[in-house]
Amino acid sequence: MKTPFEQIQNDEGSSFRFLHQKVLAQQFPWNYHYHPEFELVLVFAGTGRRHVGNHLSYYDDGDLVLIGSNLPHAGFGYDALGEHEEIVVQFRDDFLGESFFDKPEMINIKKLFERSQQGIQFYGQTYQEVAEALKKLIDLSQFERLMGLLNIFQILAGSQEYNLLNSIDTRYDFNQKDQMRLKRVYEYVEKTYQHPINIREVADIANLTVPSFCNYFKKVVNQTFTDFMNEYRINKACQLLMTERSVADVCFECGFTNNSYFSKVFKEIKGKSPLEFKKLALRKS
């Protein structure tokens, strides 16, 4: 049994799908799926979780990711903070004809698509430039949108500001059993993250022994369960730090029992202290 297949329909009068949406993050379900279309995702701002192939991590200030054909992934709005705004472009490799990207002028873009089978996350000036270009597509005609998309592909193809999210092609690594097992683990974490986590209980939920669960989780998520829990709790802490709650209150509300350890982990993950994050977030609001 494979990961659920998602059917994609092109926009009317277009050879691809262009979606601009702004919704509350809690409306996103954990929906790990795949489709033959490539997918370019721009998250405008904010913090959330990216899950592409076997890679799971958090983004801090928006995100830009190109996902290859049939590469399983979850929605980027899941576990985000507050309002989530994104642009998603979905297209097949032959959406402009079977041999279009075999043309000499398209060689770099074709190589980009090949790399995208591992999932590519872009950052820095590339993120800024492509984000502005994608936003301009919102108000353009179908023809102008197509021309703009080709230009965006060329920018991405020439960029060196990227990270490959998976070390190997992981299009078919995830089966239905893995998905349901991880879904149970995630639901358990969501309900109990404010309290000490019993690793034996988590392993029981996954129907594994503790050593087997630790090895399994590291293999399919590409990080240890402890690192995953720390990232999950810190992401929740970021949401609370945007309110009037004190750093100490946030620490304990998110399942940490020691303020100094909370600050240490927070800085390792976010690059700044909880207080620095709070002051910056309140200044922006």
Side-chain angles (χ1 to χ4, degrees):
M1 298 179 66
K2 293 184 179 297
T3 301
F5 173 85
E6 183 176 289
Q7 184 74 41
I8 304 296
Q9 289 189 334
N10 294 334
D11 296 336
E12 186 175 354
S14 177
S15 56
F16 59 93
R17 186 186 187 210
F18 182 89
L19 175 66
H20 173 224
Q21 60 181 350
K22 183 188 295 185
V23 296
L24 293 177
Q26 52 263 39
Q27 295 177 3
F28 275 82
W30 189 78
N31 179 27
Y32 196 77
H33 62 281
Y34 79 98
H35 43 72
E37 290 79 7
F38 290 74
E39 181 166 310
L40 180 62
V41 182
L42 166 70
V43 179
F44 280 39
T47 298
R49 181 162 67 184
R50 69 173 75 89
H51 192 170
V52 179
N54 288 348
H55 176 95
L56 192 153
S57 60
Y58 284 90
Y59 55 86
D60 292 315
D61 189 18
D63 207 15
L64 179 64
V65 175
L66 180 61
I67 301 168
S69 172
N70 291 319
L71 178 60
H73 57 280
F76 283 58
Y78 182 73
D79 203 25
L81 302 179
E83 188 175 70
H84 178 80
E85 185 173 7
E86 67 178 15
I87 289 175
V88 177
V89 183
Q90 295 166 322
F91 56 94
R92 290 187 179 245
D93 59 353
D94 61 352
F95 80 110
L96 293 177
E98 290 188 6
S99 60
F100 182 83
F101 290 103
D102 290 328
K103 301 292 190 293
E105 296 87 350
M106 298 292 112
I107 186 170
N108 289 332
I109 294 177
K110 186 175 182 179
K111 291 179 179 178
L112 170 74
F113 291 168
E114 290 170 355
R115 291 198 303 275
S116 73
Q117 296 305 152
Q118 296 172 258
I120 311 174
Q121 181 255 332
F122 296 90
Y123 58 89
Q125 184 61 35
T126 302
Y127 171 87
Q128 298 297 333
E129 187 175 355
V130 171
E132 289 305 312
L134 280 170
K135 291 174 187 177
K136 290 178 181 178
L137 299 188
I138 296 172
D139 299 317
L140 297 182
S141 68
Q142 302 289 18
F143 177 81
E144 293 171 322
R145 190 174 282 176
L146 174 59
M147 295 299 101
L149 183 60
L150 287 175
N151 184 59
I152 288 169
F153 289 160
Q154 185 66 9
I155 295 171
L156 296 176
S159 173
Q160 297 299 314
E161 297 176 307
Y162 67 85
N163 295 308
L164 296 178
L165 300 180
N166 293 276
S167 58
I168 57 174
D169 187 329
T170 54
R171 281 177 291 178
Y172 306 109
D173 268 3
F174 238 70
N175 57 36
Q176 186 71 12
K177 184 178 180 180
D178 288 328
Q179 184 192 12
M180 297 310 298
R181 177 178 276 164
L182 280 182
K183 188 174 188 294
R184 292 196 302 270
V185 172
Y186 290 168
E187 288 174 346
Y188 174 84
V189 169
E190 288 172 350
K191 292 176 182 177
T192 60
Y193 74 92
Q194 294 175 305
H195 309 287
I197 298 291
N198 186 324
I199 188 66
R200 188 174 297 279
E201 288 183 7
V202 184
D204 287 343
I205 288 171
N207 295 319
L208 295 168
T209 65
V210 171
S212 295
F213 170 75
C214 292
N215 292 332
Y216 167 81
F217 196 90
K218 177 67 183 296
K219 179 181 178 181
V220 299
V221 179
N222 204 31
Q223 66 179 159
T224 67
F225 183 72
T226 298
D227 288 342
F228 169 78
M229 278 303 313
N230 281 339
E231 284 194 353
Y232 187 90
R233 284 170 165 158
I234 293 302
N235 195 50
K236 292 297 182 184
C238 288
Q239 189 170 13
L240 295 177
L241 288 170
M242 295 177 183
T243 69
E244 296 302 319
R245 288 180 176 84
S246 69
V247 171
D249 287 342
V250 170
C251 165
F252 296 111
E253 284 187 50
C254 292
F256 289 94
T257 57
N258 182 292
N259 208 359
S260 61
Y261 180 69
F262 168 62
S263 296
K264 176 178 179 291
V265 173
F266 193 101
K267 192 163 187 176
E268 287 176 353
I269 294 174
K270 298 298 179 182
K272 55 179 70 69
S273 71
L275 186 58
E276 290 170 336
F277 179 92
K278 181 176 181 65
K279 288 179 178 179
L280 182 61
L282 293 178
R283 190 158 59 240
K284 289 181 178 179
S285 62

